[in-house]
Structure formats: C-alpha cells, structure tokens
C-alpha cells in the first residue's frame, strides 16, 4: 500500500522490513484470518499441492504484504512481487508467469489497478496454468499456447469492490483484514520497541497504540518518531511524557487525528455546510485525489463515527463537531 504521510513518516521499505513479521506465529491479531490460513497451509502441505489463489483485502498498512511474504516462507517456497499499476500490458506480466516455479507465489499488490488486457491474460494462467500468446499480426497472427508451472497468486487490494467478478471468482480463498484492536497494537509496539532495543513504558506503548488508527504500519511509524524524539530530547527512553510531547510536535491528537483529517472535517463543515458532499468535490477543495481520500482518510473517519456516507455524499456527525470543539454549521443538515 502507499502513503501520503508527512515526509518523516513516509514508508521506508528498509525500515518496514526489519519490523515485518517473518513467520505466521509472529503475526499479531487478526486471529480468525490467521487460523483459517493455518488450516489452508496445513492442508496444502499434507496434500503436497500448491496453495490455492488467495485474495487479501482491507485498508493500507494492515498486513496484506506481510501475510503475502509470510505464507511462502512457511511453505519454504519462492515469492515474486509486482503490482497492478506496474503491469500495463500482458508482456509485463509474462516474465513473472514463466519464472514461477512449482508451488511458488506471485504477489500482486493493488490488483484492482491491473488493466483489463492484463486481467484477461491472467485468467487462464490462474485457472489452467497456461497462457495464450498471440504472435505476428493480421493474417499472419497465430496463437501459441504455453504451459506454466502450478503456482499461487496472492492478490492484495484496498478496494475489493473494484475487482471484476471474473477476477474475484478466480481466488479460491478471500480474506478481509480489519482494523486492529488497541490491545493488539500495544503488543505490536512493545515487540517492536524490543526489536529496536528501545525501553518503553506501558503507558507510552498504550498512548502510541491509541493514536495508531487501528493500523500496524502507523504504530510502527509513530514508534520510530517517539524513539527519535526520545533520543534527541531526552535519554532515549520512551516515557508517557515523551510520547505526548512527540505527538504534539507532529500535530497528532489524542485519538490519532492528523492535520489532514482535521482539514477534511473542517472543509466538510465550513465549505460544504456539513454535507452531504461528494468525495470528488471534497478532493478538489482539499487538493487531494479522491482515491486517496477514500483509501486513506475516510475509512478511519467513518470508523470513528466522525463522518457518515449517504447516497448524496459525506455528512459530518455531531461527534466530529464535539471532537473539534466546533458549533454545528448554520445551514447544515444536523
Ligand atoms: P499492507 O500491505 O496491508 O499495506 P503491510 O503488510 O505492509 O500492510 O504492513 C505494514 C507494516 O505493519 C509491516 O511492515 C509490519 O511491520 C506491520 N504489521 C502489519 N501487520 C502486522 C501484524 N499482524 N503483526 C505485526 N506487525 C504487523
């Protein structure tokens, strides 16, 4: 998944790697999903077959890439990684398919952004482990049929609703990742502080978890920030006081709202009289792509009960006004 956090918090793949769970046993939370995957893996192992194609969906930073990298490791097989936007034509996908060894995995991130031509090309690859390649043009064109090794596609998407039905149906298993409980996030923060060899108090771990918007990636980013703050301004220990000062500096409030969340809510309230406002119009006003709003801003605001969706657009709630300590807009629908 992507991210448009302030520069400091931007995803750094190298950073991300060192904290990423390597085995299924290190994956925190998502108990039901993990239990089902264990059964799926176990059956595959016992039958000595490749794993069936698996679709993972859910908001960014919840562990889709993590699971996709853990599963092949559990089975001791290879993993290739690509993404929907990187596959602009079938020829971009072909090398991955021909390189795929028996039982290996191909992870396609943002699979909903694969163009239709690539999607049609992948159907026979997923279903019958073959591809149809057209050689030559016009009257000389002929189709060559190529057999592939039996491999596993793991697709990840933030928008399972945007997947076409034929593509969705080619996945044997589909798992939805949901936002994490605070207790899981506390556990992730504690473990990762240990990995980073940084002492942290229980309250500080909780304060980080509480601001992490149910998202492990956020928890890791905030932990790193708190650690830098502690190193720069104190003795390197992450305490309650350090965490509060560190987040004041980032303009992240007690429940994890960031400046862009507050701008979203304030625009909805002031420019659109509290709504309903369409996401396109909001995007224009905020100068942020509507897709980004839908993927990365709105899920948390919806979950926090600060906005509601209606057929005519987004509406701000009383809870949001109370949190921002604002009065209801005069002409608003509240
Ligand atoms: P996605 O692919 O859904 O955007 P990632 O798998 O890249 O999310 O997760 C982002 C980071 O969050 C990972 O690098 C990892 O450190 C952490 N993370 C995600 N899920 C978990 C989990 N269940 N347990 C522990 N850490 C996790």
């Amino acid at each position: 998944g992507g991210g448009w956090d302030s520069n400091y918090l931007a995803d750094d793949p190298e950073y991300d790697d060192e904290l990423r769970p390597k085995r299924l046993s290190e994956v925190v939370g998502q108990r039901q999903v993990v239990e089902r995957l264990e059964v799926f893996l176990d059956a595959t192992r016992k039958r000595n077959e490749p794993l069936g194609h698996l679709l993972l969906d859910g908001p960014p930073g919840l562990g889709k890439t993590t699971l996709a990298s853990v599963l092949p490791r559990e089975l001791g097989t290879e993993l290739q990684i690509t993404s929907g936007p990187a596959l602009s034509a079938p020829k971009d996908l072909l090398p991955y398919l021909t390189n795929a060894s028996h039982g290996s995995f191909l992870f396609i991130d943002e699979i909903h952004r694969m163009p239709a031509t690539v999607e049609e090309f992948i159907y026979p690859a997923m279903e019958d482990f073959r591809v149809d390649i057209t050689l030559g043009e016009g009257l000389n064109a002929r189709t060559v049929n190529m057999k592939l090794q039996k491999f596993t596609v793991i697709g990840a998407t933030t928008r399972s609703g945007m997947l076409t039905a034929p593509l969705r149906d080619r996945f044997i298993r589909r798992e939805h990742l949901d936002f994490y409980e605070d207790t899981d996030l506390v556990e992730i923060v504690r473990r990762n502080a240990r990995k980073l060899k940084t002492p942290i108090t229980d309250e500080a771990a909780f304060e980080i978890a509480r601001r992490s918007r149910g998202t492990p990636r956020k928890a890791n980013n905030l932990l790193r920030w708190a650690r830098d703050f502690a190193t720069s301004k104190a003795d390197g220990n992450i305490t309650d006081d350090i965490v509060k000062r560190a987040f004041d500096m980032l303009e992240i409030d007690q429940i994890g709202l960031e400046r862009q969340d507050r701008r979203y809510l304030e625009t909805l309230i002031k420019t659109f009289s509290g709504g309903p406002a369409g996401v396109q119009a909001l995007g224009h006003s905020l100068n942020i792509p509507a897709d980004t709003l839908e993927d990365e801003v709105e899920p948390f605001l919806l979950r926090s009960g600060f906005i509601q969706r209606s057929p005519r657009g987004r509406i701000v709630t009383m809870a949001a006004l109370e949190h921002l300590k604002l009065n209801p807009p005069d002409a608003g629908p509240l």
Side-chain angles (χ1 to χ4, degrees):
W4 57 290
D5 292 315
S6 63
N7 265 343
Y8 183 85
L9 296 179
D11 298 333
D12 180 329
E14 228 178 314
Y15 264 1
D16 231 10
D17 266 345
E18 113 196 65
L19 299 183
R20 203 187 280 290
K22 300 269 181 294
R23 307 304 298 235
L24 211 47
S25 59
E26 295 168 41
V27 171
V28 177
Q30 308 285 355
R31 269 358 281 173
Q32 278 138 326
V33 173
V34 169
E35 276 171 26
R36 285 193 292 264
L37 289 176
E38 273 165 355
V39 171
F40 197 35
L41 280 177
D42 193 40
T44 299
R45 256 190 229 111
K46 285 182 173 148
R47 284 198 300 260
N48 201 15
E49 286 170 355
L51 197 79
H53 305 305
L54 170 69
L55 182 68
L56 300 170
D57 85 84
L62 296 195
K64 298 183 292 297
T65 308
T66 300
L67 288 176
S69 59
V70 159
L71 297 179
R73 208 173 282 122
E74 292 289 335
L75 291 173
T77 164
E78 288 154 30
L79 169 69
Q80 302 185 83
I81 299 175
T82 184
S83 73
L87 302 168
S88 55
K91 69 165 173 37
D92 300 325
L93 180 61
L94 188 61
Y96 292 104
L97 301 179
T98 55
N99 282 342
S101 57
H102 183 88
S104 72
F105 286 67
L106 173 60
F107 176 55
I108 308 180
D109 201 5
E110 298 186 75
I111 196 166
H112 60 279
R113 292 178 60 193
M114 225 164 44
T117 50
V118 179
E119 205 182 300
E120 273 155 34
F121 189 67
I122 209 174
Y123 293 159
M126 288 175 74
E127 208 155 62
D128 306 321
F129 303 103
R130 64 172 171 86
V131 281
D132 303 316
I133 304 165
T134 309
L135 298 174
E137 278 176 23
L139 288 176
N140 292 324
R142 60 200 166 93
T143 304
V144 179
N145 195 284
M146 201 170 129
K147 274 207 74 61
L148 304 169
Q149 299 293 323
K150 286 194 177 172
F151 71 108
T152 302
V153 174
I154 302 190
T157 178
T158 48
R159 307 275 193 92
S160 63
M162 272 175 64
L163 242 58
T164 64
L167 182 57
R168 210 172 28 238
D169 290 347
R170 278 168 176 82
F171 288 97
I172 313 269
R173 286 226 45 82
R174 283 170 288 212
E175 291 292 353
H176 173 73
L177 298 187
D178 222 325
F179 290 109
Y180 287 65
E181 304 291 333
D182 279 357
T183 49
D184 292 331
L185 293 166
V186 169
E187 174 68 22
I188 291 173
V189 169
R190 281 224 197 89
R191 282 190 195 198
N192 289 343
R194 225 174 299 140
K195 279 194 200 171
L196 296 170
K197 300 189 172 54
T198 301
I200 186 167
T201 65
D202 287 350
E203 307 93 86
F206 178 76
E207 291 298 327
I208 292 176
R210 186 150 80 109
R211 288 170 173 83
S212 300
R213 319 164 65 112
T215 308
R217 176 181 291 139
K218 270 274 169 311
N220 288 346
N221 288 342
L222 295 182
L223 171 63
R224 288 180 190 288
W225 168 250
R227 177 175 180 248
D228 284 356
F229 192 91
T231 305
S232 164
K233 303 277 186 195
D235 58 2
N237 294 339
I238 304 179
T239 61
D240 197 18
D241 173 59
I242 285 288
V243 160
K244 285 187 178 132
R245 284 164 55 203
F247 293 144
D248 279 349
M249 197 177 220
L250 276 190
E251 299 180 61
I252 293 179
D253 76 14
Q254 289 199 348
I255 60 161
L257 286 198
E258 297 172 12
R259 207 159 33 151
Q260 65 266 18
D261 302 306
R262 288 191 291 272
R263 266 187 72 217
Y264 176 104
L265 292 173
E266 281 160 14
T267 303
L268 183 54
I269 293 164
K270 290 179 183 150
T271 312
F272 296 95
S273 310
V279 68
Q280 297 291 343
L282 276 162
H284 272 293
S285 290
L286 290 161
N287 207 8
I288 296 172
D291 269 4
T292 308
L293 291 182
E294 281 193 79
D295 280 358
E296 295 176 30
V297 181
E298 292 185 334
F300 181 66
L301 295 177
L302 281 163
R303 175 170 170 262
S304 308
F306 288 163
I307 59 169
Q308 281 180 352
R309 274 194 221 197
S310 80
R312 290 187 302 134
R314 280 55 170 160
I315 304 171
V316 77
T317 64
M318 279 309 284
L321 295 169
E322 275 162 24
H323 182 73
L324 297 175
K325 300 191 173 63
L326 291 174
N327 295 320
D330 299 337
L334 290 163

